[in-house]
Each structure stands twice: as C-alpha cells, then as structure tokens.
Amino acid sequence: MSLAGGLIVALRRPEWRIAEPGYGALDPRTTISPRMALDLSGLGRLANVPAAAITAHEDPKDDDGNGISGRAAWIEHPVTGERQLGRFGWKAQQPTLRRQVAAAFATDLGLSTRLRPNPLGDCTPPQHACRDAAKGGAGDAVEVSDPMLDLVTAYVASLPSPEPSGADSEPSVRGRAVFEASGCAACHRPDLVSDAIAAQPYTDLLLHDLGDDLADALPQAGAGGREWRTAPLWGLAGRLPASDGFGLLHDGRARSTLEAILWHGGEAEAARDHVVNLPARDREALIVFLESL
C-alpha cells in the first residue's frame, strides 16, 4: 500500500491450511480462524467497567452519522437465559472473567469445569484418542474444580494493567493529537475507565464491522464474521512481533503497528485513510504515541 510521502507498506495476508490431520479427511464445511492469545494484563479492570459506561457509546444505526456503529454483545446465560454484556475475547463472546477462564480451559487445554463440563465439542467423532482423553480419566467429574477455577480467575483479575511509558515526550504528545484527529478515538476510547490510575485501555468494548479484509468465517455469540471487539491498545509495544513474525490483529498477520492500522476497513476505513494521507512526521508521531501506551 502506498502512503503519503512515498512510503510503501507491504500487507501480509496469511493463507491457513491443515495438512494431513491424521484421522481422516476434514469435513468440507470445516473453516479455519486462527486466533492470537489475548493479553491478560488489566482484565480485572475491564471486568469492573460498568455496563452502562459501555452501552452509552452504542450507535448500531449510526444515528449521529459519523460512520461508527458499534454495538454491545449480549450473551445469553446457558442455564438461566439471563442476558449478560460480553466484554472478553476477540468477539466479546464472554461476559465475565470467570467464564473467559473456563472457556480457555476448555478450548485451549481441553479441560472441563462446571461452567464448561464437556469439552468434547472440540473433538470430532473419528478422533477417538481425543474424545477418550478429554476427561482425563476423571469419569463424570470435572478436571478443574470450582476452587481451582476461582483461584485462576482471581489471579488473572489481579494482573496489573500496563503502564504508559514516554507518554510525555514531544512525539508522543503530538501523536496523541493525531490519534484523536484521525478518528481512532471513536472506537479506541481513552475515557472508558475513569479511575485514578494513569493507564487507559483505549477500547469501547463494543463490536465493530472492520470490513471484508479482516473478516473470518467463525461467527461467535451473535458477532458476525466482519465484527470484532475493539482491541485494547494498552501494552501495545509488548505485543509487537517477535522473531517468528507473528504479531498484531486476531491472526497475528500484522508485523508492525502501522501494518495493523492499514488492515482496518469497514467502520474504521475513514480513520485508516486519514492515516494513509498524513505527513510522514505526523504518522511517525502517531506510532510513537500508540507504542507508549
């Protein structure tokens, strides 16, 4: 992609495939949607954001005409049917930190809890070893007890949020002004958390349509393939690509902060185009600001 000032940025589009699964041919309806592990820092603070502070920024029909139509994700409790506000996961598919931890035990580790008592849904019928191992020989008992789930949840909730670094430097101050003028703050809100701690998550925890280029084929909890929860920006520098080249966005395709911005479409298209057309000095200041959060 060509940017103002003559800069050319190559965008990497991953192509995923499963080779030789080892237990027979995949169902032709099989879809692949790789997901990077989410940062655990500050999740306790996000859990404590009042629901009203999140829903206050909803505008699903874009009534104000600014091109941003974020909506809250509402998750139905599997037992009580109560609707709860989703706020965790790439598509805001989990309403509470405890349920997020239980989902991670089930889908990442194949371990059962009372909230997710049967993780066999991740094993297809021909995967006999997988289905036999899913309960770990525990019979009808769950593998992760309620006290253990509570302890892990409490630990995750205690992890501090990232602290900003270098936010007072001249490029960072300039970059923050560019961030706001570009329209990025319409979704990556700097004011969602109102406590006295300096760090802000820079998210609205709402679902937004980010266009076809970032769409996947795995709708979750009512979120469509083009919809993603606004990713918190705090601690961004710590998530930049390591030596394996995988870094930002849901599938790790972006190798830099700028590349991640350039993949944005849909509701974020206008903000992306603003960044594309920035003078080089302003664009560089924007990146400095983002990586200071």
Short mmCIF file of all heavy atoms in Angstrom, two decimals, residues 82-151:
data_model
loop_
_atom_site.label_atom_id
_atom_site.label_comp_id
_atom_site.label_asym_id
_atom_site.label_seq_id
_atom_site.Cartn_x
_atom_site.Cartn_y
_atom_site.Cartn_z
N GLU A 82 -30.39 -15.52 31.28
CA GLU A 82 -30.14 -14.09 31.51
C GLU A 82 -29.19 -13.54 30.47
O GLU A 82 -28.20 -14.18 30.10
CB GLU A 82 -29.53 -13.91 32.91
CG GLU A 82 -29.12 -12.50 33.23
CD GLU A 82 -28.28 -12.41 34.49
OE1 GLU A 82 -27.94 -13.47 35.06
OE2 GLU A 82 -27.95 -11.28 34.88
N ARG A 83 -29.49 -12.34 29.99
CA ARG A 83 -28.59 -11.69 29.04
C ARG A 83 -27.51 -10.94 29.80
O ARG A 83 -27.80 -10.16 30.71
CB ARG A 83 -29.36 -10.71 28.15
CG ARG A 83 -30.26 -11.37 27.14
CD ARG A 83 -30.49 -10.50 25.92
NE ARG A 83 -30.67 -9.09 26.26
CZ ARG A 83 -30.45 -8.10 25.39
NH1 ARG A 83 -30.05 -8.37 24.17
NH2 ARG A 83 -30.62 -6.84 25.75
N GLN A 84 -26.25 -11.19 29.41
CA GLN A 84 -25.12 -10.53 30.03
C GLN A 84 -24.29 -9.84 28.95
O GLN A 84 -24.23 -10.30 27.81
CB GLN A 84 -24.25 -11.54 30.79
CG GLN A 84 -24.95 -12.20 31.97
CD GLN A 84 -24.05 -13.25 32.62
OE1 GLN A 84 -23.81 -14.31 32.04
NE2 GLN A 84 -23.56 -12.95 33.80
N LEU A 85 -23.66 -8.75 29.33
CA LEU A 85 -22.88 -7.97 28.37
C LEU A 85 -21.53 -8.64 28.13
O LEU A 85 -20.74 -8.84 29.05
CB LEU A 85 -22.66 -6.56 28.92
CG LEU A 85 -21.85 -5.60 28.04
CD1 LEU A 85 -22.59 -5.33 26.74
CD2 LEU A 85 -21.56 -4.31 28.78
N GLY A 86 -21.24 -8.99 26.87
CA GLY A 86 -19.96 -9.57 26.53
C GLY A 86 -18.87 -8.52 26.50
O GLY A 86 -19.09 -7.40 26.01
N ARG A 87 -17.70 -8.88 27.01
CA ARG A 87 -16.59 -7.92 27.04
C ARG A 87 -15.22 -8.56 26.88
O ARG A 87 -14.23 -7.85 26.72
CB ARG A 87 -16.64 -7.09 28.32
CG ARG A 87 -16.49 -7.89 29.61
CD ARG A 87 -16.56 -6.97 30.83
NE ARG A 87 -17.92 -6.54 31.11
CZ ARG A 87 -18.22 -5.47 31.85
NH1 ARG A 87 -17.24 -4.73 32.36
NH2 ARG A 87 -19.47 -5.15 32.08
N PHE A 88 -15.14 -9.90 26.89
CA PHE A 88 -13.85 -10.58 26.76
C PHE A 88 -13.83 -11.44 25.50
O PHE A 88 -14.85 -11.97 25.08
CB PHE A 88 -13.58 -11.46 28.00
CG PHE A 88 -13.49 -10.69 29.28
CD1 PHE A 88 -14.50 -10.76 30.22
CD2 PHE A 88 -12.41 -9.86 29.53
CE1 PHE A 88 -14.43 -10.04 31.39
CE2 PHE A 88 -12.33 -9.13 30.71
CZ PHE A 88 -13.35 -9.22 31.64
N GLY A 89 -12.64 -11.59 24.94
CA GLY A 89 -12.48 -12.37 23.71
C GLY A 89 -12.50 -11.48 22.49
O GLY A 89 -12.95 -10.33 22.52
N TRP A 90 -11.99 -12.01 21.38
CA TRP A 90 -11.88 -11.24 20.16
C TRP A 90 -13.23 -10.73 19.66
O TRP A 90 -13.32 -9.71 19.00
CB TRP A 90 -11.21 -12.06 19.07
CG TRP A 90 -9.73 -12.18 19.23
CD1 TRP A 90 -9.02 -13.27 19.65
CD2 TRP A 90 -8.76 -11.15 18.98
NE1 TRP A 90 -7.67 -12.99 19.69
CE2 TRP A 90 -7.48 -11.70 19.27
CE3 TRP A 90 -8.83 -9.84 18.53
CZ2 TRP A 90 -6.30 -10.97 19.12
CZ3 TRP A 90 -7.66 -9.11 18.39
CH2 TRP A 90 -6.41 -9.68 18.69
N LYS A 91 -14.29 -11.48 19.97
CA LYS A 91 -15.63 -11.06 19.54
C LYS A 91 -16.55 -10.80 20.73
O LYS A 91 -17.76 -10.90 20.62
CB LYS A 91 -16.22 -12.12 18.60
CG LYS A 91 -15.53 -12.16 17.24
CD LYS A 91 -16.19 -13.14 16.29
CE LYS A 91 -15.49 -13.15 14.93
NZ LYS A 91 -15.82 -11.99 14.11
N ALA A 92 -15.93 -10.46 21.86
CA ALA A 92 -16.69 -10.15 23.09
C ALA A 92 -17.66 -11.27 23.42
O ALA A 92 -18.79 -11.04 23.86
CB ALA A 92 -17.42 -8.82 22.95
N GLN A 93 -17.20 -12.52 23.22
CA GLN A 93 -18.10 -13.65 23.38
C GLN A 93 -18.23 -14.15 24.81
O GLN A 93 -19.03 -15.05 25.09
CB GLN A 93 -17.65 -14.81 22.47
CG GLN A 93 -16.33 -15.47 22.86
CD GLN A 93 -15.14 -14.86 22.14
OE1 GLN A 93 -15.16 -13.70 21.76
NE2 GLN A 93 -14.10 -15.66 21.94
N GLN A 94 -17.47 -13.56 25.75
CA GLN A 94 -17.56 -13.98 27.14
C GLN A 94 -17.94 -12.77 28.00
O GLN A 94 -17.29 -11.73 27.92
CB GLN A 94 -16.24 -14.59 27.62
CG GLN A 94 -15.82 -15.85 26.88
CD GLN A 94 -16.83 -16.97 26.99
OE1 GLN A 94 -17.64 -17.01 27.91
NE2 GLN A 94 -16.79 -17.90 26.05
N PRO A 95 -18.95 -12.90 28.87
CA PRO A 95 -19.40 -11.77 29.66
C PRO A 95 -18.65 -11.55 30.97
O PRO A 95 -18.67 -10.44 31.50
CB PRO A 95 -20.87 -12.10 29.93
CG PRO A 95 -20.90 -13.60 29.97
CD PRO A 95 -19.86 -14.05 28.97
N THR A 96 -18.05 -12.59 31.50
CA THR A 96 -17.36 -12.46 32.78
C THR A 96 -15.96 -13.07 32.68
O THR A 96 -15.71 -13.94 31.83
CB THR A 96 -18.11 -13.18 33.92
OG1 THR A 96 -18.09 -14.60 33.69
CG2 THR A 96 -19.55 -12.70 34.01
N LEU A 97 -15.09 -12.64 33.56
CA LEU A 97 -13.73 -13.16 33.56
C LEU A 97 -13.72 -14.64 33.91
O LEU A 97 -12.93 -15.41 33.37
CB LEU A 97 -12.87 -12.36 34.54
CG LEU A 97 -11.36 -12.47 34.41
CD1 LEU A 97 -10.90 -12.24 32.98
CD2 LEU A 97 -10.68 -11.49 35.35
N ARG A 98 -14.60 -15.05 34.80
CA ARG A 98 -14.67 -16.47 35.18
C ARG A 98 -15.05 -17.33 33.97
O ARG A 98 -14.47 -18.40 33.74
CB ARG A 98 -15.68 -16.65 36.31
CG ARG A 98 -15.60 -18.01 37.03
CD ARG A 98 -16.43 -17.97 38.30
NE ARG A 98 -16.21 -19.16 39.12
CZ ARG A 98 -17.00 -20.22 39.12
NH1 ARG A 98 -18.08 -20.23 38.33
NH2 ARG A 98 -16.74 -21.26 39.89
N ARG A 99 -16.01 -16.88 33.20
CA ARG A 99 -16.40 -17.64 32.01
C ARG A 99 -15.31 -17.59 30.94
O ARG A 99 -15.12 -18.56 30.19
CB ARG A 99 -17.73 -17.13 31.47
CG ARG A 99 -18.92 -17.60 32.30
CD ARG A 99 -20.24 -17.12 31.77
NE ARG A 99 -20.53 -17.62 30.44
CZ ARG A 99 -21.68 -17.38 29.80
NH1 ARG A 99 -22.62 -16.65 30.38
NH2 ARG A 99 -21.88 -17.86 28.59
N GLN A 100 -14.56 -16.49 30.86
CA GLN A 100 -13.45 -16.42 29.93
C GLN A 100 -12.38 -17.45 30.30
O GLN A 100 -11.83 -18.14 29.44
CB GLN A 100 -12.85 -15.01 29.92
CG GLN A 100 -11.56 -14.86 29.14
CD GLN A 100 -11.74 -14.98 27.64
OE1 GLN A 100 -12.87 -14.98 27.15
NE2 GLN A 100 -10.66 -15.07 26.90
N VAL A 101 -12.08 -17.56 31.60
CA VAL A 101 -11.08 -18.53 32.06
C VAL A 101 -11.57 -19.95 31.81
O VAL A 101 -10.81 -20.82 31.35
CB VAL A 101 -10.76 -18.31 33.55
CG1 VAL A 101 -9.87 -19.43 34.09
CG2 VAL A 101 -10.06 -16.96 33.76
N ALA A 102 -12.85 -20.23 32.08
CA ALA A 102 -13.40 -21.56 31.84
C ALA A 102 -13.35 -21.91 30.36
O ALA A 102 -13.06 -23.06 29.98
CB ALA A 102 -14.84 -21.63 32.35
N ALA A 103 -13.62 -20.92 29.50
CA ALA A 103 -13.56 -21.16 28.05
C ALA A 103 -12.13 -21.47 27.63
O ALA A 103 -11.90 -22.32 26.76
CB ALA A 103 -14.09 -19.95 27.30
N ALA A 104 -11.15 -20.78 28.23
CA ALA A 104 -9.75 -21.05 27.90
C ALA A 104 -9.35 -22.46 28.34
O ALA A 104 -8.65 -23.18 27.62
CB ALA A 104 -8.85 -20.01 28.56
N PHE A 105 -9.79 -22.88 29.53
CA PHE A 105 -9.52 -24.25 29.96
C PHE A 105 -10.09 -25.25 28.96
O PHE A 105 -9.44 -26.24 28.60
CB PHE A 105 -10.15 -24.50 31.35
CG PHE A 105 -9.26 -24.15 32.51
CD1 PHE A 105 -9.70 -23.30 33.51
CD2 PHE A 105 -7.98 -24.70 32.61
CE1 PHE A 105 -8.88 -22.98 34.59
CE2 PHE A 105 -7.16 -24.39 33.68
CZ PHE A 105 -7.61 -23.53 34.68
N ALA A 106 -11.33 -25.00 28.49
CA ALA A 106 -12.00 -25.95 27.60
C ALA A 106 -11.40 -25.97 26.21
O ALA A 106 -11.04 -27.03 25.68
CB ALA A 106 -13.49 -25.63 27.53
N THR A 107 -11.29 -24.79 25.58
CA THR A 107 -10.91 -24.77 24.17
C THR A 107 -9.41 -24.78 23.94
O THR A 107 -8.94 -25.27 22.91
CB THR A 107 -11.52 -23.54 23.48
OG1 THR A 107 -11.06 -22.35 24.14
CG2 THR A 107 -13.03 -23.57 23.54
N ASP A 108 -8.64 -24.24 24.89
CA ASP A 108 -7.18 -24.21 24.71
C ASP A 108 -6.52 -25.46 25.28
O ASP A 108 -5.49 -25.91 24.76
CB ASP A 108 -6.57 -22.98 25.38
CG ASP A 108 -7.08 -21.68 24.76
OD1 ASP A 108 -7.66 -21.76 23.66
OD2 ASP A 108 -6.90 -20.61 25.37
N LEU A 109 -7.07 -25.99 26.37
CA LEU A 109 -6.42 -27.10 27.07
C LEU A 109 -7.27 -28.37 27.10
O LEU A 109 -6.77 -29.42 27.52
CB LEU A 109 -6.07 -26.69 28.51
CG LEU A 109 -5.13 -25.50 28.66
CD1 LEU A 109 -4.97 -25.13 30.12
CD2 LEU A 109 -3.77 -25.83 28.06
N GLY A 110 -8.52 -28.29 26.69
CA GLY A 110 -9.37 -29.48 26.73
C GLY A 110 -9.71 -29.93 28.14
O GLY A 110 -9.93 -31.12 28.38
N LEU A 111 -9.76 -29.00 29.09
CA LEU A 111 -10.03 -29.32 30.49
C LEU A 111 -11.44 -28.85 30.85
O LEU A 111 -11.83 -27.73 30.55
CB LEU A 111 -9.00 -28.66 31.40
CG LEU A 111 -7.55 -29.11 31.20
CD1 LEU A 111 -6.61 -28.31 32.10
CD2 LEU A 111 -7.41 -30.60 31.48
N SER A 112 -12.17 -29.71 31.53
CA SER A 112 -13.56 -29.42 31.84
C SER A 112 -13.70 -28.72 33.18
O SER A 112 -12.91 -28.90 34.10
CB SER A 112 -14.37 -30.72 31.86
OG SER A 112 -13.80 -31.65 32.78
N THR A 113 -14.73 -27.87 33.28
CA THR A 113 -15.13 -27.20 34.50
C THR A 113 -16.64 -27.34 34.63
O THR A 113 -17.31 -27.80 33.70
CB THR A 113 -14.76 -25.70 34.47
OG1 THR A 113 -15.49 -25.09 33.39
CG2 THR A 113 -13.27 -25.49 34.26
N ARG A 114 -17.19 -26.91 35.75
CA ARG A 114 -18.65 -26.96 35.86
C ARG A 114 -19.31 -26.01 34.87
O ARG A 114 -20.43 -26.25 34.42
CB ARG A 114 -19.09 -26.61 37.29
CG ARG A 114 -19.03 -27.79 38.24
CD ARG A 114 -19.97 -27.64 39.43
NE ARG A 114 -19.89 -26.34 40.07
CZ ARG A 114 -20.92 -25.52 40.20
NH1 ARG A 114 -22.10 -25.84 39.70
NH2 ARG A 114 -20.78 -24.36 40.82
N LEU A 115 -18.62 -24.91 34.53
CA LEU A 115 -19.16 -23.99 33.53
C LEU A 115 -19.07 -24.56 32.12
O LEU A 115 -19.90 -24.26 31.27
CB LEU A 115 -18.42 -22.65 33.60
CG LEU A 115 -18.66 -21.80 34.83
CD1 LEU A 115 -17.82 -20.52 34.76
CD2 LEU A 115 -20.12 -21.46 34.99
N ARG A 116 -18.04 -25.34 31.88
CA ARG A 116 -17.85 -26.00 30.58
C ARG A 116 -17.57 -27.47 30.85
O ARG A 116 -16.44 -27.93 30.75
CB ARG A 116 -16.69 -25.35 29.80
CG ARG A 116 -16.89 -23.88 29.48
CD ARG A 116 -17.88 -23.69 28.34
NE ARG A 116 -17.34 -24.16 27.09
CZ ARG A 116 -16.76 -23.39 26.17
NH1 ARG A 116 -16.65 -22.09 26.39
NH2 ARG A 116 -16.32 -23.88 25.05
N PRO A 117 -18.62 -28.25 31.22
CA PRO A 117 -18.38 -29.61 31.71
C PRO A 117 -17.95 -30.62 30.66
O PRO A 117 -17.41 -31.67 30.99
CB PRO A 117 -19.74 -30.01 32.31
CG PRO A 117 -20.73 -29.15 31.58
CD PRO A 117 -20.03 -27.87 31.32
N ASN A 118 -18.18 -30.31 29.42
CA ASN A 118 -17.90 -31.31 28.38
C ASN A 118 -17.22 -30.66 27.20
O ASN A 118 -17.88 -30.18 26.28
CB ASN A 118 -19.20 -32.00 27.94
CG ASN A 118 -18.93 -33.15 26.98
OD1 ASN A 118 -17.78 -33.44 26.66
ND2 ASN A 118 -19.98 -33.79 26.53
N PRO A 119 -15.87 -30.65 27.19
CA PRO A 119 -15.18 -30.02 26.05
C PRO A 119 -15.08 -30.91 24.83
O PRO A 119 -14.29 -30.66 23.94
CB PRO A 119 -13.79 -29.74 26.64
CG PRO A 119 -13.59 -30.82 27.65
CD PRO A 119 -14.95 -31.11 28.22
N LEU A 120 -15.92 -31.99 24.76
CA LEU A 120 -15.83 -32.91 23.63
C LEU A 120 -16.23 -32.26 22.31
O LEU A 120 -15.97 -32.82 21.25
CB LEU A 120 -16.72 -34.13 23.88
CG LEU A 120 -16.26 -35.09 24.99
CD1 LEU A 120 -17.25 -36.23 25.12
CD2 LEU A 120 -14.87 -35.62 24.72
N GLY A 121 -16.86 -31.12 22.37
CA GLY A 121 -17.26 -30.47 21.14
C GLY A 121 -16.09 -30.10 20.26
O GLY A 121 -16.25 -29.85 19.08
N ASP A 122 -14.88 -30.08 20.83
CA ASP A 122 -13.70 -29.77 20.05
C ASP A 122 -13.10 -31.01 19.41
O ASP A 122 -12.08 -30.92 18.72
CB ASP A 122 -12.65 -29.08 20.93
CG ASP A 122 -13.14 -27.74 21.42
OD1 ASP A 122 -13.74 -27.01 20.62
OD2 ASP A 122 -12.94 -27.42 22.60
N CYS A 123 -13.67 -32.18 19.70
CA CYS A 123 -13.16 -33.43 19.11
C CYS A 123 -14.24 -34.00 18.20
O CYS A 123 -15.38 -34.20 18.61
CB CYS A 123 -12.84 -34.45 20.20
SG CYS A 123 -11.73 -33.86 21.49
N THR A 124 -13.88 -34.30 16.95
CA THR A 124 -14.84 -34.89 16.04
C THR A 124 -14.97 -36.38 16.33
O THR A 124 -14.08 -36.99 16.94
CB THR A 124 -14.39 -34.68 14.58
OG1 THR A 124 -13.10 -35.31 14.41
CG2 THR A 124 -14.26 -33.20 14.26
N PRO A 125 -16.07 -37.03 15.91
CA PRO A 125 -16.26 -38.45 16.23
C PRO A 125 -15.10 -39.37 15.87
O PRO A 125 -14.79 -40.29 16.63
CB PRO A 125 -17.54 -38.80 15.45
CG PRO A 125 -18.30 -37.51 15.42
CD PRO A 125 -17.25 -36.44 15.27
N PRO A 126 -14.40 -39.17 14.73
CA PRO A 126 -13.28 -40.07 14.43
C PRO A 126 -12.07 -39.89 15.35
O PRO A 126 -11.17 -40.74 15.36
CB PRO A 126 -12.90 -39.71 12.99
CG PRO A 126 -14.08 -39.02 12.43
CD PRO A 126 -14.68 -38.28 13.59
N GLN A 127 -12.02 -38.84 16.13
CA GLN A 127 -10.86 -38.58 16.99
C GLN A 127 -11.03 -39.32 18.31
O GLN A 127 -11.25 -38.73 19.37
CB GLN A 127 -10.70 -37.07 17.23
CG GLN A 127 -10.33 -36.28 15.99
CD GLN A 127 -10.24 -34.80 16.30
OE1 GLN A 127 -11.24 -34.11 16.37
NE2 GLN A 127 -9.02 -34.32 16.49
N HIS A 128 -10.87 -40.62 18.26
CA HIS A 128 -11.14 -41.45 19.45
C HIS A 128 -10.18 -41.11 20.59
O HIS A 128 -10.60 -41.02 21.75
CB HIS A 128 -11.03 -42.93 19.08
CG HIS A 128 -11.96 -43.34 17.99
ND1 HIS A 128 -13.33 -43.29 18.12
CD2 HIS A 128 -11.72 -43.78 16.72
CE1 HIS A 128 -13.90 -43.70 17.00
NE2 HIS A 128 -12.94 -44.01 16.13
N ALA A 129 -8.92 -40.92 20.29
CA ALA A 129 -7.97 -40.60 21.36
C ALA A 129 -8.31 -39.27 22.00
O ALA A 129 -8.22 -39.11 23.23
CB ALA A 129 -6.55 -40.57 20.80
N CYS A 130 -8.71 -38.32 21.19
CA CYS A 130 -9.07 -37.00 21.72
C CYS A 130 -10.30 -37.12 22.62
O CYS A 130 -10.33 -36.58 23.72
CB CYS A 130 -9.33 -36.04 20.56
SG CYS A 130 -9.94 -34.40 21.05
N ARG A 131 -11.31 -37.85 22.16
CA ARG A 131 -12.54 -37.97 22.94
C ARG A 131 -12.31 -38.76 24.22
O ARG A 131 -12.88 -38.45 25.27
CB ARG A 131 -13.64 -38.59 22.09
CG ARG A 131 -14.03 -37.72 20.90
CD ARG A 131 -15.10 -38.37 20.06
NE ARG A 131 -16.40 -38.31 20.70
CZ ARG A 131 -17.23 -37.27 20.61
NH1 ARG A 131 -16.87 -36.19 19.92
NH2 ARG A 131 -18.40 -37.29 21.20
N ASP A 132 -11.46 -39.76 24.14
CA ASP A 132 -11.16 -40.54 25.35
C ASP A 132 -10.36 -39.72 26.35
O ASP A 132 -10.50 -39.90 27.57
CB ASP A 132 -10.37 -41.80 24.99
CG ASP A 132 -11.23 -42.81 24.23
OD1 ASP A 132 -12.47 -42.68 24.27
OD2 ASP A 132 -10.65 -43.70 23.59
N ALA A 133 -9.52 -38.83 25.84
CA ALA A 133 -8.64 -38.06 26.74
C ALA A 133 -9.29 -36.79 27.26
O ALA A 133 -8.76 -36.18 28.18
CB ALA A 133 -7.34 -37.69 26.01
N ALA A 134 -10.42 -36.42 26.71
CA ALA A 134 -10.99 -35.11 27.04
C ALA A 134 -11.31 -34.97 28.51
O ALA A 134 -11.21 -33.89 29.08
CB ALA A 134 -12.24 -34.86 26.21
N LYS A 135 -11.70 -36.09 29.18
CA LYS A 135 -11.98 -36.03 30.61
C LYS A 135 -10.79 -36.48 31.45
O LYS A 135 -10.88 -36.52 32.67
CB LYS A 135 -13.21 -36.88 30.94
CG LYS A 135 -14.51 -36.30 30.37
CD LYS A 135 -15.72 -37.09 30.83
CE LYS A 135 -17.00 -36.49 30.26
NZ LYS A 135 -18.19 -37.25 30.70
N GLY A 136 -9.72 -36.84 30.78
CA GLY A 136 -8.51 -37.18 31.51
C GLY A 136 -8.68 -38.32 32.49
O GLY A 136 -8.02 -38.36 33.53
N GLY A 137 -9.58 -39.26 32.19
CA GLY A 137 -9.79 -40.37 33.10
C GLY A 137 -10.57 -39.99 34.34
O GLY A 137 -10.63 -40.74 35.32
N ALA A 138 -11.21 -38.82 34.33
CA ALA A 138 -11.89 -38.35 35.54
C ALA A 138 -13.34 -38.81 35.61
O ALA A 138 -14.06 -38.41 36.52
CB ALA A 138 -11.84 -36.83 35.58
N GLY A 139 -13.76 -39.64 34.68
CA GLY A 139 -15.14 -40.08 34.69
C GLY A 139 -16.09 -38.92 34.49
O GLY A 139 -15.91 -38.09 33.61
N ASP A 140 -17.11 -38.84 35.35
CA ASP A 140 -18.08 -37.75 35.24
C ASP A 140 -17.63 -36.49 35.97
O ASP A 140 -18.29 -35.46 35.90
CB ASP A 140 -19.43 -38.20 35.80
CG ASP A 140 -20.08 -39.27 34.92
OD1 ASP A 140 -19.82 -39.25 33.71
OD2 ASP A 140 -20.82 -40.11 35.47
N ALA A 141 -16.52 -36.58 36.70
CA ALA A 141 -16.03 -35.42 37.44
C ALA A 141 -15.37 -34.44 36.47
O ALA A 141 -14.85 -34.82 35.43
CB ALA A 141 -15.03 -35.85 38.50
N VAL A 142 -15.40 -33.17 36.83
CA VAL A 142 -14.70 -32.18 36.03
C VAL A 142 -13.23 -32.17 36.44
O VAL A 142 -12.87 -32.54 37.56
CB VAL A 142 -15.31 -30.77 36.20
CG1 VAL A 142 -16.74 -30.76 35.69
CG2 VAL A 142 -15.23 -30.31 37.64
N GLU A 143 -12.39 -31.74 35.51
CA GLU A 143 -10.95 -31.76 35.76
C GLU A 143 -10.48 -30.54 36.55
O GLU A 143 -9.48 -30.59 37.26
CB GLU A 143 -10.20 -31.84 34.43
CG GLU A 143 -10.48 -33.14 33.69
CD GLU A 143 -10.02 -33.08 32.26
OE1 GLU A 143 -10.74 -32.47 31.44
OE2 GLU A 143 -8.95 -33.62 31.96
N VAL A 144 -11.16 -29.42 36.36
CA VAL A 144 -10.81 -28.20 37.07
C VAL A 144 -11.93 -27.90 38.05
O VAL A 144 -13.04 -27.55 37.65
CB VAL A 144 -10.61 -27.03 36.09
CG1 VAL A 144 -10.25 -25.75 36.85
CG2 VAL A 144 -9.53 -27.36 35.08
N SER A 145 -11.65 -28.03 39.33
CA SER A 145 -12.67 -27.83 40.35
C SER A 145 -13.06 -26.36 40.46
O SER A 145 -12.34 -25.47 39.99
CB SER A 145 -12.16 -28.32 41.71
OG SER A 145 -11.06 -27.50 42.13
N ASP A 146 -14.19 -26.10 41.11
CA ASP A 146 -14.61 -24.72 41.33
C ASP A 146 -13.56 -23.91 42.08
O ASP A 146 -13.27 -22.76 41.68
CB ASP A 146 -15.93 -24.69 42.09
CG ASP A 146 -17.13 -24.94 41.17
OD1 ASP A 146 -16.93 -25.11 39.95
OD2 ASP A 146 -18.26 -24.97 41.69
N PRO A 147 -12.97 -24.44 43.16
CA PRO A 147 -11.93 -23.65 43.84
C PRO A 147 -10.75 -23.33 42.94
O PRO A 147 -10.19 -22.23 43.00
CB PRO A 147 -11.53 -24.55 45.02
CG PRO A 147 -12.75 -25.37 45.29
CD PRO A 147 -13.33 -25.64 43.94
N MET A 148 -10.35 -24.29 42.11
CA MET A 148 -9.23 -24.04 41.20
C MET A 148 -9.60 -22.99 40.17
O MET A 148 -8.81 -22.08 39.86
CB MET A 148 -8.80 -25.33 40.51
CG MET A 148 -7.63 -25.16 39.56
SD MET A 148 -6.13 -24.62 40.41
CE MET A 148 -5.69 -26.14 41.27
N LEU A 149 -10.81 -23.08 39.64
CA LEU A 149 -11.26 -22.09 38.67
C LEU A 149 -11.30 -20.70 39.31
O LEU A 149 -10.89 -19.71 38.71
CB LEU A 149 -12.64 -22.47 38.14
CG LEU A 149 -13.29 -21.49 37.15
CD1 LEU A 149 -12.44 -21.32 35.89
CD2 LEU A 149 -14.70 -21.96 36.77
N ASP A 150 -11.77 -20.64 40.55
CA ASP A 150 -11.82 -19.37 41.26
C ASP A 150 -10.43 -18.79 41.49
O ASP A 150 -10.21 -17.58 41.36
CB ASP A 150 -12.54 -19.53 42.60
CG ASP A 150 -14.03 -19.79 42.45
OD1 ASP A 150 -14.58 -19.47 41.38
OD2 ASP A 150 -14.63 -20.32 43.41
N LEU A 151 -9.47 -19.66 41.83
CA LEU A 151 -8.11 -19.19 42.07
C LEU A 151 -7.48 -18.64 40.80
O LEU A 151 -6.83 -17.59 40.81
CB LEU A 151 -7.26 -20.33 42.64
CG LEU A 151 -7.51 -20.71 44.10
CD1 LEU A 151 -6.78 -22.00 44.45
CD2 LEU A 151 -7.08 -19.58 45.03
#
